Amino acid sequence: THSGPVLRAMREVTVAVCGADAAVVVELPSGRLVEIQAMTAVSLQPGEVLRVHGYRAGARLYVAVGGGLSGPAQLLRAGDQLA
């Protein structure tokens, strides 16, 4: 099994996950893990962490982030190498 991204909320943000069947959890500041369902939008508070653990089926998992991501430009670019 593969693990996926680990994303920390720096501000209140809405995220949704779809695609591959994977264990997706939100780690609260207390350390407690809360599993979230695919195809459901959830609100993350500052300091909460979205973690994608092992994939059960499928190969691609998509994470939608309301308002987008911030960070170094080279890490945020999306491209199609086949086009």
Side-chain angles (χ1 to χ4, degrees):
T1 61
H2 299 294
S3 61
V6 176
L7 304 170
R8 180 179 306 277
M10 304 305 286
R11 59 177 171 77
E12 184 176 348
V13 64
T14 300
V15 298
V17 179
C18 67
D21 181 15
V24 180
V25 298
V26 173
E27 181 180 335
L28 305 177
S30 66
R32 187 169 72 99
L33 301 178
V34 178
E35 187 164 1
I36 64 169
Q37 300 298 313
M39 306 292 286
T40 303
V42 297
S43 180
L44 297 181
Q45 300 304 311
E48 293 180 343
V49 179
L50 180 79
R51 294 183 182 275
V52 178
H53 291 291
Y55 288 72
R56 296 182 282 254
R60 291 190 173 92
L61 181 114
Y62 303 91
V63 179
V65 179
L69 299 171
S70 64
Q74 64 271 25
L75 295 178
L76 301 177
R77 290 188 190 123
D80 182 354
Q81 300 300 318
L82 301 176

